[in-house]
Amino acid sequence: MPKIGMEPLRRRALIDATISAIGERGSLDVTMSEIAGRAGVSSALAHHYFGAKDELLLATMRHILAELTADMRRALQSASTARQRVSAVVAVNFSDAQFQPETIAAWLAFYVEAQKSPALRRLLKVYARRLHSNLLSGLTVILPRSEADRVAEATAALIDGLYIRRALKDGVPNAATAIALIEDYLETKLSRRSAQ
């Protein structure tokens, strides 16, 4: 078994600590010292690996996006129909790995910070494009392109909105309920199409 060096482990520990600290605080108003303490390393070492806090925040957002992308790829590979692809995209966003309180809080904090940070805004645009594209990978087989675009946009808005409501501790209490709400919307849109 290959050995993993200390640097990747420490970097990952700092990213995990960042998600935890943001989740607990509910904002990006956390210090490098606080994050380093949670990760069990010194502030100097945290600065050595990431430089300023902004770089650590960017690395954390990239990590969250990379995990979501990897989970999405696996889910899409196991989907055998266009409709299953759409459901897989929805389900991944509310999976046990993704729909954790700390991760939900981190997403909300990053959305707020993206209003000021061009780098975070770019990452969130990448996320939005990927989500839309993944939804379209199934929807364009079922619906005409213009309608598929609208349904993908509305589905993405539902996903984001349910995350926001959950981050604010309001609304949908669990992943199963969130998925059911979105699936109800999709079934309504898709059944109307098949009835025409």
Side-chain angles (χ1 to χ4, degrees):
M1 181 194 300
K3 287 188 175 182
I4 298 174
M6 286 304 290
E7 181 173 345
L9 291 175
R10 286 185 177 144
R11 289 175 69 87
R12 176 61 192 263
L14 285 162
I15 287 170
D16 289 344
T18 303
I19 294 168
S20 172
I22 291 169
E24 188 176 296
R25 185 77 46 89
S27 77
L28 300 183
D29 187 24
V30 293
T31 65
M32 282 291 265
S33 173
E34 180 183 349
I35 293 166
R38 284 174 183 259
V41 301
S42 69
S43 289
L45 193 59
H47 283 286
H48 170 74
Y49 287 139
F50 292 102
K53 184 177 93 170
D54 289 349
E55 292 304 315
L56 176 55
L57 295 175
L58 278 172
T60 301
M61 188 70 223
R62 284 188 195 105
H63 171 77
I64 290 171
L65 285 171
E67 286 198 335
L68 178 59
T69 299
D71 289 349
M72 190 69 69
R73 281 191 187 119
R74 283 189 291 277
L76 289 172
Q77 285 172 351
S78 67
S80 55
T81 68
R83 181 64 179 90
Q84 286 174 356
R85 288 183 72 80
V86 178
S87 289
V89 172
V90 173
V92 163
N93 280 280
F94 297 98
S95 68
D96 290 341
Q98 298 297 327
F99 204 59
Q100 293 294 317
E102 298 84 12
T103 305
I104 294 166
W107 274 104
L108 182 61
F110 285 127
Y111 266 102
V112 170
E113 189 64 22
Q115 304 307 304
K116 299 180 282 187
S117 167
L120 282 176
R121 190 175 313 120
R122 277 192 300 277
L123 286 176
L124 288 171
K125 284 181 180 179
V126 167
Y127 154 73
R129 281 194 304 269
R130 282 184 190 160
L131 177 58
H132 192 78
S133 175
N134 286 326
L135 288 164
L136 283 178
S137 74
L139 289 169
T140 54
V141 177
I142 304 167
L143 299 169
R145 178 61 193 231
S146 63
E147 194 173 344
D149 268 327
R150 283 193 305 275
V151 172
E153 188 64 31
T155 304
L158 284 168
I159 291 168
D160 289 344
L162 289 166
Y163 261 74
I164 291 168
R165 291 185 71 188
R166 188 66 199 130
L168 298 173
K169 310 233 184 311
D170 186 22
V172 178
N174 61 50
T177 307
I179 291 169
L181 281 169
I182 296 171
E183 287 292 339
D184 283 350
Y185 163 77
L186 287 166
E187 276 307 306
T188 301
K189 297 305 276 185
L190 297 177
S191 64
R192 278 188 195 154
R193 183 69 192 170
S194 62
Q196 291 177 350

